[in-house]
Amino acid sequence: MIIAVDGPAASGKGTLARRLATHFDYAYLDTGALYRAVGVHVLSTGSDPADDAAALSAAQQLDMTSLNNAQTRAALRTAEAGIAASLVAAKPQVRACILQAQRDFAHNPPEGKAGAILDGRDIGTIVCPEAAHKLFVTASPQVRAERRFLELRQDDDQLELATVLQDIQDRDARDSQRTIAPMKQAADAHLLDTSDLSIEEALQAALAFIAR
Ligand code: DC
């Protein structure tokens, strides 16, 4: 059983996917973290995430098992990591490098789990087009910026909402307009707009869709 959860930055897809994984006791993979790890690795070597060779080399060295510790996860959540991730994610060689690992996770979930939930941008369209259930989670740019602002503001009290909104709009444009695996709703995906929903309401809406 594979459930694909796609959508733009800060749409609530990660929280929802995690809650669904707990509900069904399925394995969960945050595929954005893979691209973030590649982007952060490039930055740590002093290279530019827009550089093809640096991005490919970082993707080839990616170790998925290293992403589970709390310190690494915190380093991956920064605004810089998100921007670097979006830049490396537009490169076909980087995506090719990461594609098989995502499919392996989906088809052979760890710990013998009976299913897998993957969240990202292209899970329902490219990584697992055969997924049993597909959700495309979205929210208005303003609502997404406010959510991300509240999250990032904890570590940066100089941060401004307008900066976060601009970052989100730039990332939406880059992720949906790139030629390889652009972010888009799969034809058979269910659209879930979380602009006016609490986490619990979004979870109930997703469960109702899956039950249908
Ligand atoms: O979901 P996120 O914000 O953590 O993702 C970070 C970036 O990674 C996002 O801007 C685009 C890229 N990404 C992608 O291209 N494909 C995915 N399946 C997941 C993320």
Side-chain angles (χ1 to χ4, degrees):
M1 172 64 78
I2 300 172
I3 301 179
V5 182
D6 289 303
S11 57
K13 66 184 186 311
T15 307
L16 177 63
R18 226 174 256 114
R19 292 287 298 267
L20 286 171
T22 304
H23 178 90
F24 290 113
D25 193 26
Y26 287 171
Y28 166 63
L29 181 64
D30 167 7
T31 66
L34 307 179
Y35 293 97
R36 285 172 181 264
V38 173
V40 166
H41 184 128
V42 173
L43 293 175
S44 74
T45 62
S47 302
D48 180 352
D51 181 85
D52 286 349
L56 178 59
S57 161
Q60 285 165 338
Q61 293 174 59
L62 178 68
D63 171 12
M64 271 173 61
T65 58
S66 72
L67 305 181
N68 291 330
N69 84 62
Q71 206 181 347
T72 308
R73 291 205 61 85
L76 298 182
R77 292 314 309 165
T78 66
E80 294 71 32
I83 294 167
S86 173
L87 287 167
V88 299
K91 300 185 182 302
Q93 316 90 303
V94 169
R95 301 199 77 85
C97 202
I98 291 178
L99 182 61
Q100 196 55 45
Q102 296 171 81
R103 288 186 175 154
D104 289 346
F105 184 98
H107 292 281
N108 296 299
E111 297 171 27
K113 301 271 184 190
I117 303 193
L118 285 77
D119 85 47
R121 302 289 186 289
D122 61 338
I123 308 303
T125 50
I126 307 282
V127 179
C128 299
E130 74 287 12
H133 304 287
K134 300 180 186 178
L135 287 159
F136 192 86
V137 184
T138 190
S140 70
Q142 189 65 35
V143 166
R144 291 190 282 126
E146 282 164 15
R147 287 178 187 160
R148 189 47 56 87
F149 175 73
L150 290 176
E151 191 188 321
L152 296 173
R153 181 70 182 234
Q154 293 169 9
D155 296 319
D156 178 1
D157 59 9
Q158 302 293 308
L159 188 69
E160 292 188 8
L161 178 60
T163 311
V164 179
L165 178 59
Q166 188 62 53
D167 275 0
I168 283 202
Q169 286 169 331
D170 291 348
R171 209 131 71 82
D172 282 357
R174 205 179 304 118
D175 295 344
S176 58
Q177 287 164 21
R178 67 186 177 215
T179 44
I180 174 116
M183 168 176 71
K184 91 169 177 245
Q185 183 182 347
D188 52 351
H190 178 74
L191 181 68
L192 182 59
D193 188 328
T194 67
S195 300
D196 299 317
L197 300 183
S198 66
I199 293 170
E200 195 53 41
E201 286 167 337
L203 176 66
Q204 293 310 322
L207 288 173
F209 161 70
I210 291 168
R212 279 207 305 272

